[in-house]
């Protein structure tokens, strides 16, 4: 199968699964804001990995349990597959595998680190040093260009 076709199927699966997950009535799933990050279908369309994330999961004490959420998604996989079969015109409806994607939580952690006052000061000093080095390099290039002009005359 052509790669562009598989990419289109991945895109459609991501769109449809994210819409279907919002309608799941299982309390293990419905009490969280689940985002489907991406879907990856195998070339033979028999399996589909669904990468999901939970908004607010990086905060402690909000009652988030990743294992319970995954169990809820796995128990709803039959419903999700049925909905996919109705919505997408595929010869084979793939088996679903759910993978928790921690990239949003990791990004939030990096963002808080970057906004600490000590790190902000380091970044400011680095930027000043780079500006100074760029000005020195520009001055050196200008001096070299003027020397070349003197030799050309």
């Amino acid at each position: 199968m052509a790669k562009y076709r598989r990419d289109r199927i991945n895109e459609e699966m991501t769109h449809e699964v994210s819409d279907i997950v919002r309608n799941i009535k299982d309390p293990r799933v419905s009490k969280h804001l689940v985002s489907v990050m991406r879907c990856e279908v195998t070339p033979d369309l028999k399996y589909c990995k669904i990468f999901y994330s939970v908004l607010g999961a990086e905060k402690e004490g909000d009652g988030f349990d990743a294992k319970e959420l995954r169990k809820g998604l796995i128990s709803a996989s039959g419903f999700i597959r049925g909905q996919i079969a109705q919505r997408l015109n595929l010869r084979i409806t793939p088996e679903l595998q759910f993978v928790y994607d921690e990239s949003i939580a990791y990004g939030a952690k990096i963002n808080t680190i970057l906004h600490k006052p000590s790190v902000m000061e380091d970044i400011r000093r680095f930027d000043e040093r780079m500006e100074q080095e760029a000005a020195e390099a520009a001055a050196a290039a200008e001096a070299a260009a003027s020397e070349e002009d003197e030799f050309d005359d």
Side-chain angles (χ1 to χ4, degrees), residues 117-137:
S118 61
V119 175
M120 293 291 283
E121 180 63 26
D122 288 344
I123 292 172
R124 186 188 59 75
R125 283 193 305 241
F126 178 78
D127 287 345
E128 287 174 356
R129 190 174 60 214
M130 288 295 114
E131 286 176 8
Q132 181 181 9
E133 288 178 7
E136 290 171 359

Side-chain angles (χ1 to χ4, degrees), residues 26-117:
D26 188 336
R28 295 176 289 189
V29 178
S30 64
K31 71 179 181 180
H32 302 292
L33 186 57
V34 179
S35 296
V36 176
M37 305 306 289
R38 69 181 190 278
C39 292
E40 291 180 1
V41 179
T42 58
D44 61 359
L45 299 179
K46 291 195 179 209
Y47 300 97
C48 176
K49 279 188 183 177
I50 299 172
F51 295 88
Y52 66 95
S53 183
V54 178
L55 191 63
E58 64 275 355
K59 298 175 187 155
E60 296 295 326
D62 66 349
F64 174 70
D65 185 8
K67 289 181 182 178
E68 282 300 311
L69 175 62
R70 187 166 188 273
K71 286 179 185 176
L73 287 170
I74 289 171
S75 71
S77 65
F79 170 74
I80 297 171
R81 278 187 79 189
Q83 291 294 309
I84 290 171
Q86 288 178 1
R87 295 177 184 201
L88 298 179
N89 187 16
L90 297 174
R91 185 175 297 176
I92 301 170
T93 303
E95 269 186 50
L96 307 178
Q97 300 169 343
F98 295 95
V99 179
Y100 182 65
D101 187 3
E102 296 179 349
S103 63
I104 291 178
Y106 182 74
K109 180 181 175 185
I110 296 297
N111 193 26
T112 56
I113 290 171
L114 287 175
H115 284 85
K116 286 183 179 178

